[in-house]
Amino acid sequence: MSTPPPVRVQEFAGLQTGVAVVGEGQPVLALHGWGGSVQSFWPVAQQLASLGYCVHVLDLPGFGQTEPPPDVWGVADYARFVVAYLDAAKLDRVSVLGHSFGGRISLILGADYPQRVHKMVLADAAGLRSTPSLGTQTRTAVAKTVRGVLGRAGLDGVRARLEEQYRQRYASDDYRTAGALRETFVRVVEEDLSDFARRVQASTVLIWGDQDQDTPLWQGERLEQLIPDAGLIVFEGAGHFSYLERLGDYIRIVNHFLTEGS
């Protein structure tokens, strides 16, 4: 039976941060997705600990027990925060597990801090921008025009109500629930990390659910092409949380990959 993570709160990079560490052995860092927390990777951490790994799981800034960023952050800011944790924890080099938003951060770590990353396993990673459909492009253009007209007419109250109705109807759940992190969320999702993916030096395994609607499979296929040393494994029938839906398979893949050649 899974036990609750032993989260302790410490200060890293000026932020009170929730951290859970379990096991002894090869160091592994787990980075959760947007809206997640230490709990998101705790089932993984427990199983890897039993196989001889020391797993560090963070509440990323703004989530779990970690304070929000002091201003609007991009993905590179989150990566710098993670490196600050590695420095404080005296972890020279780790293998990185990332899911969704954690995958975005992992791409920057692998590209800009290659000396800190041994290997990476990215599940349903975000980081590539989709081309909006024609309908979305048209809807966005009309909304922008209407906002401009109302603003010039001094009808700010009407504009604000229409903007809120538009968000409630068309915005993603992550955007609607982002709260104080809304501007950070917008900045993060607008970043295309293709150039970072091309510069990743670590060997990387990509794991994807073929039913993922949040980061569709084509993004995994594209990352496999961009990352110099990468392979893609597809979990049929799994969605955006493929690593939890197929936890046993995920653990076997991670363990084999991290011990291979070590």
Side-chain angles (χ1 to χ4, degrees), residues 108-129:
I108 291 186
L109 291 174
D112 285 356
Y113 306 91
Q115 73 281 7
R116 310 304 295 269
V117 179
H118 175 48
K119 293 180 178 180
M120 299 200 305
V121 181
L122 308 184
D124 303 280
L128 302 182
R129 290 195 64 181

Side-chain angles (χ1 to χ4, degrees), residues 107 118-122 125 196-208 219-234 253 257 260:
L107 291 174
H118 175 48
K119 293 180 178 180
M120 299 200 305
V121 181
L122 308 184
F196 290 93
R198 293 185 181 95
R199 295 192 288 109
V200 169
Q201 296 183 28
S203 295
T204 302
V205 167
L206 303 164
I207 293 177
W208 234 269
Q219 296 190 18
E221 295 168 341
R222 180 60 177 152
L223 283 176
E224 184 183 27
Q225 295 172 347
L226 292 173
I227 298 172
D229 182 12
L232 173 65
I233 299 172
V234 178
I253 291 166
F257 179 55
E260 184 181 40

Side-chain angles (χ1 to χ4, degrees), residues 100-225:
S100 194
F101 174 57
R104 289 183 189 270
I105 300 169
S106 301
L107 291 174
I108 291 186
L109 291 174
D112 285 356
Y113 306 91
Q115 73 281 7
R116 310 304 295 269
V117 179
H118 175 48
K119 293 180 178 180
M120 299 200 305
V121 181
L122 308 184
D124 303 280
L128 302 182
R129 290 195 64 181
S130 302
T131 302
S133 67
L134 181 59
T136 298
Q137 293 180 52
T138 301
R139 188 166 59 242
T140 301
V142 170
K144 183 177 180 180
T145 299
V146 171
R147 287 197 301 269
V149 169
L150 293 175
R152 289 190 295 274
L155 300 174
D156 292 335
V158 176
R159 181 177 64 177
R161 287 195 298 274
L162 288 177
E163 286 178 343
E164 182 59 28
Q165 291 173 5
Y166 184 89
R167 283 195 292 267
Q168 291 301 320
R169 182 170 183 180
Y170 296 112
S172 68
D173 289 340
D174 284 340
Y175 178 86
R176 286 196 295 268
T177 59
L181 290 177
R182 183 169 286 176
E183 289 184 70
T184 290
F185 175 76
V186 171
R187 179 172 173 183
V188 162
V189 299
E190 287 183 348
E191 294 183 52
D192 188 291
L193 304 180
S194 298
D195 289 341
F196 290 93
R198 293 185 181 95
R199 295 192 288 109
V200 169
Q201 296 183 28
S203 295
T204 302
V205 167
L206 303 164
I207 293 177
W208 234 269
D210 67 351
Q211 300 304 305
D212 188 344
Q213 301 300 309
D214 296 300
T215 52
L217 180 56
W218 72 261
Q219 296 190 18
E221 295 168 341
R222 180 60 177 152
L223 283 176
E224 184 183 27
Q225 295 172 347

